[in-house]
């Protein structure tokens, strides 16, 4: 099929229920607020007269940190799954992995990605199983062992003025939480904090946020809860994206507007990412 990239207005009309979705509709989304999105994606879209939706986590700006998800990515990218998995065996003790996390996530995560086993093991441990209170310490220990010069926030994320540039160029920018953690591991109060803080950050930076949208960190039904959806509705969020290999149909728009399914780039011929972030 030949897809047509919807213009911004047609997409928003579709989400609002004023236009029926078509089978050949397509929009492009870019997660995690990476500097690459300004350096490479924006000029490519501009050359073609296209737009996209960009999902930015607020943590790097509010706390001047590299988020754990990206520290994990950098470690795996630089050293490979086998080295990280081996180092984790030394560093992580059983007491750092609560049994309920292991049970909650073991069968559901990374089902559809053809990862090397060691990469998968490392990502399971660092993204899902590990006690949230010790993850940063474990990453510190990995970085001390494996990196002379750990990543700095300004090396990988969009600057605040680059986020403004995206909006000025007609792109849509939405929330991707503050810390990019697995929301289903958080209490409703902590989830509320992630949403409020991240929308406030974007609204303050951009002088208002006429259309609020959200993208679930990691994605997949296991990564958020019914409370997440209710909180999104209550915060005036118009729509949200999940990762789920289905098209957005009229009934999806009616019933699942805050978890719209998206295809993962890894599923496409030229979309292979060695390490998918979610
Ligand atoms: Zn993400």
């Amino acid at each position: 099929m030949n897809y047509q990239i919807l213009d911004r207005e047609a997409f928003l009309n579709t989400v609002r229920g004023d236009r029926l979705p078509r089978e050949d509709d397509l929009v492009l989304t870019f997660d995690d607020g990476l500097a690459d999105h300004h350096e490479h994606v924006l000029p490519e879209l501009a050359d073609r007269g296209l737009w996209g939706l960009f999902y930015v986590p607020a943590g790097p700006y509010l706390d001047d940190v590299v988020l754990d998800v990206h520290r994990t990515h950098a470690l795996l990218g630089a050293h490979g799954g086998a080295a990280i998995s081996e180092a984790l065996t030394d560093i992580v003790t059983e007491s750092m992995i609560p049994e309920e996390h292991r049970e909650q996530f073991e069968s559901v995560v990374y089902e559809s990605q053809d990862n090397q086993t060691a990469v998968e093991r490392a990502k399971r441990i660092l993204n899902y199983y590990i006690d949230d209170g010790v993850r940063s310490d474990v990453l510190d220990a990995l970085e001390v062992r494996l990196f002379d010069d750990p990543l700095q926030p300004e090396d990988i994320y969009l600057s605040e003025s680059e986020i403004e540039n995206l909006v000025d160029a007609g792109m849509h920018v939405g929330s991707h939480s503050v810390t990019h953690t697995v929301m289903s591991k958080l209490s409703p109060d902590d989830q509320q904090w992630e949403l409020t803080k991240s929308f406030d950050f974007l609204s303050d930076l951009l002088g208002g946020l006429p259309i609020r949208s959200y993208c679930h960190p990691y994605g997949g039904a296991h990564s958020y809860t019914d409370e997440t959806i209710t909180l999104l509705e209550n915060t005036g969020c118009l729509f949200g994206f999940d990762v789920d290999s289905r098209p957005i149909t009229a009934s999806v728009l009616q019933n699942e507007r805050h978890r719209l399914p998206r295809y993962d780039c890894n599923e496409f011929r030229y979309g292979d990412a060695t390490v998918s972030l979610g």
Side-chain angles (χ1 to χ4, degrees), residues 166-227:
L166 288 176
V167 172
D168 290 344
M171 307 295 130
H172 174 82
V173 174
S175 158
H176 199 32
S177 81
V178 174
T179 65
H180 200 297
T181 193
V182 177
M183 291 285 258
S184 56
K185 288 163 76 176
L186 301 184
S187 68
D189 279 354
D190 288 344
Q191 292 193 34
Q192 175 76 68
W193 181 89
E194 292 274 349
L195 298 180
T196 305
K197 277 282 204 190
S198 63
F199 280 118
D200 284 353
F201 162 71
L202 289 175
S203 184
D204 290 348
L205 175 67
L206 300 170
L209 204 57
I211 293 158
R212 289 183 167 210
S213 82
Y214 178 76
C215 172
H216 296 280
Y218 300 102
H222 58 275
S223 68
Y224 53 86
T225 62
D226 291 346
E227 282 96 356

Side-chain angles (χ1 to χ4, degrees), residues 65-77 79 84-85 87-88 91-92 96 122-123 125-128 130-151 157 179-181 218:
V65 291
V66 176
L67 300 172
D68 287 349
V69 63
H70 300 128
R71 297 172 75 192
T72 302
H73 181 221
L75 284 159
L76 286 167
H79 295 281
I84 301 304
S85 196
L88 282 171
I91 294 167
V92 176
M96 294 179 183
K123 287 205 292 185
I125 292 171
L126 287 168
N127 291 338
Y128 289 94
I130 206 161
D131 189 322
D132 287 338
V134 299
R135 183 192 293 106
S136 292
D137 293 341
V138 169
L139 288 166
D140 286 346
L142 284 170
E143 286 179 352
V144 165
R145 192 185 281 226
L146 297 167
F147 277 156
D148 294 333
D149 193 12
L151 280 180
Y157 296 115
T179 65
H180 200 297
T181 193
Y218 300 102

Side-chain angles (χ1 to χ4, degrees), residues 32 69 73 76 110 113 115 119 123 127 218 264-266 273-278:
D32 291 3
V69 63
H73 181 221
L76 286 167
Y110 301 121
Q113 290 177 28
N115 284 317
V119 171
K123 287 205 292 185
N127 291 338
Y218 300 102
D264 188 314
C265 63
N266 286 289
T274 311
V275 181
S276 178
L277 295 175

